[in-house]
Amino acid sequence: MNAATGTKQRAFDHTRLAAALNRASHKDYKADNLPFAGFKMAKDAGRITSNIENTRWSCDLVSDACTSNTMPPQAYQYRYDRTPPAENNREKTSVSPDGKWLAYSKNYNLFLRSKDGSRNIPLTWDGSESNYYALSTLKWSPDSRHLAGYRIRPGHKRQVYYLESSPRDQLQPKHWTMTYPKAGDTLALHQPVLFDIVSRRQIAVDNASFPNPYSLSPILWWKDGRGFTFEFNQRGRQLYRVVEVDATTGQVRSLIDEVSHTFVDYQPLVNQPRTGKTFRYDVDDGKEIIWASERDGYEHLYLFNGRTGELKNQITRGDWVVRTVYYVDPVKRQIWFGASGMNPAEDPYFVHAYRIDFDGKGLTALTPELANHHIEFSPDGRYYVDLWSRIDAPPRLMLYRASDNAELMQVESAEISELVAAGWQPPLSFHAKGRDGETDIWGIIHLPVNFDPNKRYPVVEHIYTGPTRSSVPKSFSAFVEPLTQLGFIVVQIDGMGTNNRSRAFHDVAWKNLKDGGLPDRILWHKAASAKYPWYDISNLGIFGGSAGGQNAMSALLFHPDFYKVAVASNGSYDNRMDQIWWSEQWMGWPVGIEYSQSSAVDNAFRLQGKLLLIVSETDRIVDPSSTLQLADRLIRAGKYFDWLVVPGADHVAPSSYSKLKLLDFFVRNILGQEPPNWNAIGSNWRE
Amino acid sequence: MYKFGVLTLVLLVQQASAAAGPTDSTANQLQLSDYKRAMTIGDQYAKLTTNVPDVPFWLADGESFVYRQTTKASISSFS
């Protein structure tokens, strides 16, 4: 779709691309169902690249030739251990902007080589395997006068062990390990280093302003070369700091401090329900900095003096949440951003677009439709598209001109009449007061097939309370919860401890992942039952995967009077077994008793309800041993449960087989019916 | 993927001996067709919408964006 001309056409020839992919991959991809949702297109529109499973594909749209680059196994562990490697290879270089010098690493030290290769000059002598200078971190000042980077002291390389019992390409099992730091492990220590290229000397950088780092962000030079900044994320998550280093003196100062008595949600603020809270935009080479913070209890934008670090003004303010920043115009001094919760009359999770001036004035609402809006700005800020919908309203895609918010055209308007005629019904939105008696807790109810309000239906909750996000759908989807087709009500709720509400709402998760918002959810269920005679909570079920698996276990273990039946898949049942960033983000550091208090393993003896555990044998997100440790503790406690190990499966793997096992489990234990004898029927299973 | 197409019998699901929650739906014995619907309805419904767009993304030229949409009698296409 061309925004300037208003013309719409196929992005490429789907049939030719499918054929090209099939030739190269020996697969059978269909032109009307290509195996990717997004791609990058070259500027001349002659080539697209996209990820299909774990392979990067690049296809020439002129010659119809596709090539692939399979992601190596190390790509998985890079998710967890991003320690810059030691690279002693004089052919790998970092070239100065003026082209005169090439920096490289040799014997863990840094060297300079002149462009003509005639001169090799050592910058350091003290590097070693256990404390090396990392070439990949080097950043030249724009004037080529200075070079900065990180020196690395490696941390503990914890390994997760895998046994793949049933590989497809051989009879005998395979095993492998993956580097995967867990809560409490010793981390690699990054320390910034700075060099004056003219004098060939190292300038000392005092590390007193960034003690005990969890991470230091990549170095970012000011354009005028006066210094550089990095963002210091202290281990424990109570301090996040923008640090500036003077290029001439090496003097260090803090520009902005973000502090919390619980946690700073240090991941970037992005245009998704799953988001962190940090955002930084440097205005005019750092004279000012736009910064996001939850310091007043809600995620808002602030304007700092980038030279002094003083707060100039709060840009956005109110008991609502900035959800993303779409675009900043430093000339007009305006910000386009998304926010939720500003309109008291609607769902507080609905995202709307707004514009505001740097000084906090001129707040302008841009999306009047009562719906959930997803905005994508063009790279130059001239246009934006607005994809809006609700769970009960099909989507529209609109094109706008940013300068005056003029509607240029309706790009798409979805048609769902056939869907409705086939029996699809939208979920029902419902909210009730949470545990504090004041805060509204929002959720949705998926009604059962052939719903009759004069009947009563059993309820099963689909839970996910990972604090990175809110999980209840707000936009249109034709998705149907399979259990509804068997006569169940299925509900989804965003209880306290999840994201995209106030800071206090989010803080409930702190050192308390066992909570899972379950006290709010129980009140929500009771309120729904009181309002709707058809809502039967006498034998409540619950299921979830990953963090949702942990939540489903918590429901059974800590609220056995309310939750009676659970299916938990690939859960992190003890956060000491889980990946370090997640566990320490929510459960804190140092590792304390809270980890045990929230552990389903340590609380396995509490089990009273019916439980099905599902675990993927080669889960690369959550260590599958976490499930086996839970099973071990349940067995030792004399507890009965069912479980399913899916050989060779990864984290998001439940497959049709485990999906049917889930259905059967609730049918048997809530409806009291015996599922079909699938073996006698002659099931034909396929992956 | 589970293939229900090979099944020709319509089986009544056996009554479980242990009764659970007293809901009206327990009075209705689930049929094999109910399971089939539960396992396949996602794919069926996905084919009954047209012009449902995914989140668009802008190309580097700054003037063009691409999105995937559902189309009549098929799954999706990119415009």
Side-chain angles (χ1 to χ4, degrees):
Chain A
M1 175 76 212
N2 187 289
T5 63
T7 54
K8 187 165 58 173
Q9 62 183 27
R10 286 286 184 100
F12 48 81
D13 187 317
H14 291 47
T15 303
R16 284 174 52 187
L17 182 64
L21 272 173
N22 290 339
R23 277 195 303 275
S25 68
H26 308 292
K27 296 285 181 67
D28 186 26
Y29 299 126
K30 306 298 184 189
D32 61 3
N33 192 16
L34 289 167
F36 51 82
F39 57 85
K40 287 186 177 178
M41 181 171 278
K43 283 186 177 178
D44 64 358
R47 175 174 289 275
I48 69 169
T49 54
S50 185
N51 289 331
I52 303 173
E53 297 175 345
N54 64 342
T55 300
R56 185 76 170 163
W57 283 95
S58 179
C59 295
D60 188 313
L61 297 175
V62 179
S63 65
D64 292 337
C66 293
T67 57
S68 65
N69 182 19
T70 301
M71 291 164 60
Q74 295 89 326
Y76 288 102
Q77 63 190 35
Y78 180 72
R79 293 179 189 168
Y80 306 110
D81 180 12
R82 299 191 176 186
T83 306
E87 296 176 287
N88 294 313
N89 179 353
R90 44 181 293 132
E91 302 309 314
K92 291 191 77 171
T93 60
S94 175
V95 183
S96 62
D98 63 8
K100 293 180 179 176
W101 295 104
L102 293 80
Y104 66 96
S105 176
K106 177 180 154 186
N107 195 29
Y108 307 102
N109 283 295
L110 291 178
F111 287 73
L112 289 179
R113 184 164 72 234
S114 58
K115 182 182 178 183
D116 62 5
S118 62
R119 302 169 67 193
N120 282 279
I121 302 165
L123 283 176
T124 68
W125 293 94
D126 58 349
S128 67
E129 186 176 10
S130 59
N131 199 1
Y132 55 85
Y133 296 87
L135 179 76
S136 64
T137 69
L138 295 182
K139 296 288 173 61
W140 286 88
S141 64
D143 58 10
S144 300
R145 294 173 57 87
H146 295 93
L147 179 64
Y150 285 116
R151 190 176 184 185
I152 308 294
R153 196 176 70 199
H156 175 56
K157 298 280 186 186
R158 179 177 296 283
Q159 302 296 300
V160 169
Y161 298 89
Y162 291 94
L163 177 65
E164 185 179 358
S165 62
S166 315
R168 293 293 178 263
D169 59 347
Q170 66 182 49
L171 173 65
Q172 298 300 329
K174 295 178 179 176
H175 67 92
W176 72 85
T177 65
M178 180 176 75
T179 303
Y180 181 102
K182 295 181 177 179
D185 283 349
T186 302
L187 288 168
L189 179 66
H190 295 50
Q191 294 290 282
V193 290
L194 173 64
F195 302 94
D196 182 325
I197 298 304
V198 177
S199 65
R200 321 279 194 255
R201 70 182 177 91
Q202 184 168 355
I203 303 170
V205 177
D206 186 356
N207 61 11
S209 294
F210 41 93
N212 191 24
Y214 177 82
S215 62
L216 303 179
S217 70
I219 283 165
L220 184 65
W221 280 93
W222 297 124
K223 292 173 185 170
D224 65 6
R226 67 183 185 276
F228 63 86
T229 64
F230 58 85
E231 293 170 22
F232 161 54
N233 177 21
Q234 191 173 50
R235 195 164 190 187
R237 306 295 196 277
Q238 279 83 44
L239 172 61
Y240 193 88
R241 168 175 285 166
V242 180
V243 177
E244 182 184 59
V245 179
D246 184 284
T248 305
T249 65
Q251 189 173 4
V252 175
R253 65 172 178 155
S254 167
L255 283 182
I256 300 174
D257 275 6
E258 200 60 43
V259 296
S260 171
H261 69 282
T262 54
F263 59 88
V264 176
D265 189 355
Y266 75 97
Q267 299 277 0
L269 180 69
V270 295
N271 194 7
Q272 297 290 338
R274 174 179 176 156
T275 179
K277 297 294 168 59
T278 57
F279 174 81
R280 170 183 163 191
Y281 181 93
D282 298 333
V283 183
D284 195 11
D285 200 23
K287 285 182 181 173
E288 296 173 306
I289 297 174
I290 298 169
W291 182 251
S293 168
E294 293 186 284
R295 61 186 63 189
D296 78 345
Y298 291 86
E299 175 79 340
H300 280 301
L301 300 176
Y302 296 78
L303 186 66
F304 283 86
N305 183 323
R307 297 297 170 88
T308 66
E310 290 179 319
L311 175 64
K312 295 182 74 171
N313 60 272
Q314 185 169 351
I315 300 171
T316 61
R317 186 189 302 271
D319 53 355
W320 45 271
V321 181
V322 171
R323 298 284 295 273
T324 190
V325 174
Y326 303 123
Y327 188 73
V328 176
D329 186 334
V331 177
K332 293 181 178 177
R333 297 180 67 79
Q334 291 181 321
I335 305 167
W336 283 259
F337 66 98
S340 58
M342 205 183 296
N343 307 325
E346 69 178 30
D347 187 323
Y349 293 89
F350 280 178
V351 177
H352 287 275
Y354 300 89
R355 185 184 64 231
I356 196 167
D357 300 337
F358 281 11
D359 61 6
K361 298 176 181 173
L363 178 66
T364 304
L366 304 175
T367 49
E369 301 88 359
L370 196 158
N372 192 37
H373 295 259
H374 185 103
I375 305 291
E376 291 288 340
F377 258 71
S378 64
D380 60 8
R382 280 191 295 164
Y383 307 100
Y384 65 88
V385 284
D386 177 8
L387 176 61
W388 65 262
S389 70
R390 295 192 308 265
I391 55 173
D392 60 350
R396 290 192 183 190
L397 184 61
M398 311 293 294
L399 175 64
Y400 291 88
R401 185 170 56 220
S403 60
D404 57 359
N405 196 37
E407 178 185 322
L408 298 181
M409 66 180 296
Q410 176 176 282
V411 183
E412 294 292 349
S413 179
E415 169 56 49
I416 64 166
S417 56
E418 283 189 52
L419 183 69
V420 174
W424 176 85
Q425 50 190 342
L428 184 66
S429 181
F430 179 73
H431 63 278
K433 297 299 181 189
R435 70 188 79 176
D436 62 0
E438 298 178 357
T439 306
D440 283 330
I441 304 297
W442 286 72
I444 59 174
I445 300 171
H446 300 270
L447 296 171
V449 65
N450 300 322
F451 174 66
D452 179 350
N454 296 312
K455 292 184 176 179
R456 285 171 63 75
Y457 297 91
V459 177
V460 176
E461 181 177 341
H462 183 180
I463 190 168
Y464 183 88
T465 76
T468 51
R469 61 178 302 160
S470 52
S471 298
V472 177
K474 301 298 172 183
S475 299
F476 174 84
S477 171
F479 172 76
V480 172
E481 286 281 358
L483 278 168
T484 61
Q485 304 304 301
L486 299 179
F488 293 90
I489 289 170
V490 179
V491 303
Q492 293 172 272
I493 307 165
D494 282 321
M496 290 189 187
T498 52
N499 203 351
N500 299 322
R501 298 288 290 276
S502 71
R503 183 63 223 223
F505 194 98
H506 207 185
D507 275 345
V508 171
W510 177 236
K511 295 189 174 182
N512 190 28
L513 284 181
K514 79 170 188 179
D515 181 274
L518 292 163
D520 311 304
R521 295 163 185 276
I522 290 170
L523 292 171
W524 192 97
H525 285 295
K526 290 179 176 176
S529 178
K531 181 174 181 178
Y532 302 121
W534 39 265
Y535 195 95
D536 181 2
I537 55 173
S538 62
N539 199 18
L540 199 74
I542 188 167
F543 71 95
S546 193
Q550 182 182 26
N551 304 141
M553 275 307 305
S554 290
L556 278 198
L557 297 177
F558 302 114
H559 302 277
D561 294 337
F562 198 75
Y563 291 97
K564 307 293 177 56
V565 184
V567 177
S569 305
N570 292 328
S572 49
Y573 301 112
D574 186 318
N575 290 98
R576 291 167 290 194
M577 289 289 290
D578 203 1
Q579 54 190 289
I580 188 170
W581 86 264
W582 177 279
S583 295
E584 292 190 4
Q585 175 71 61
W586 315 121
M587 292 300 294
W589 178 90
V591 172
I593 192 173
E594 304 84 5
Y595 280 75
S596 176
Q597 291 168 338
S598 278
S599 166
V601 179
D602 288 353
N603 288 280
F605 65 91
R606 300 179 188 275
L607 181 67
Q608 294 184 37
K610 306 285 180 57
L611 170 64
L612 169 61
L613 290 174
I614 299 174
V615 61
S616 298
E617 185 185 44
T618 54
D619 185 340
R620 291 178 176 88
I621 303 293
V622 174
D623 186 344
S625 289
S626 190
T627 300
L628 274 83
Q629 290 179 357
L630 174 59
D632 171 63
R633 201 69 69 88
L634 288 167
I635 291 169
R636 285 200 275 152
K639 298 296 182 181
Y640 276 67
F641 63 100
D642 290 343
W643 83 323
L644 168 66
V645 180
V646 186
D650 203 344
H651 191 60
V652 185
S655 74
S656 297
Y657 187 87
S658 51
K659 181 175 165 184
L660 191 57
K661 292 284 279 190
L662 181 149
L663 300 181
D664 284 353
F665 196 74
F666 286 119
V667 166
R668 182 179 290 115
N669 291 295
I670 292 183
L671 296 186
Q673 296 185 24
E674 189 60 27
N677 182 344
W678 300 110
N679 294 341
I681 291 171
S683 303
N684 178 20
W685 300 101
R686 271 191 211 164
E687 290 184 0
Chain B
M1 181 178 178
Y2 186 69
K3 301 293 286 183
F4 284 92
V6 299
L7 305 176
T8 54
L9 295 175
V10 177
L11 300 178
L12 287 178
V13 180
Q14 297 171 356
Q15 175 71 50
S17 57
T23 61
D24 290 337
S25 55
T26 57
N28 301 323
Q29 287 297 298
L30 292 173
Q31 308 290 314
L32 197 58
S33 58
D34 296 320
Y35 283 90
K36 178 180 179 181
R37 191 177 59 245
M39 294 293 286
T40 61
I41 195 161
D43 291 340
Q44 293 174 18
Y45 277 2
K47 297 174 182 174
L48 297 179
T49 66
T50 52
N51 301 332
V52 172
D54 275 353
V55 170
F57 58 96
W58 287 86
L59 300 181
D61 68 6
E63 289 193 345
S64 303
F65 61 92
V66 176
Y67 58 94
R68 188 171 65 165
Q69 67 185 107
T70 59
T71 58
K72 190 81 174 175
S74 65
I75 303 299
S76 64
S77 71
F78 291 94
S79 296

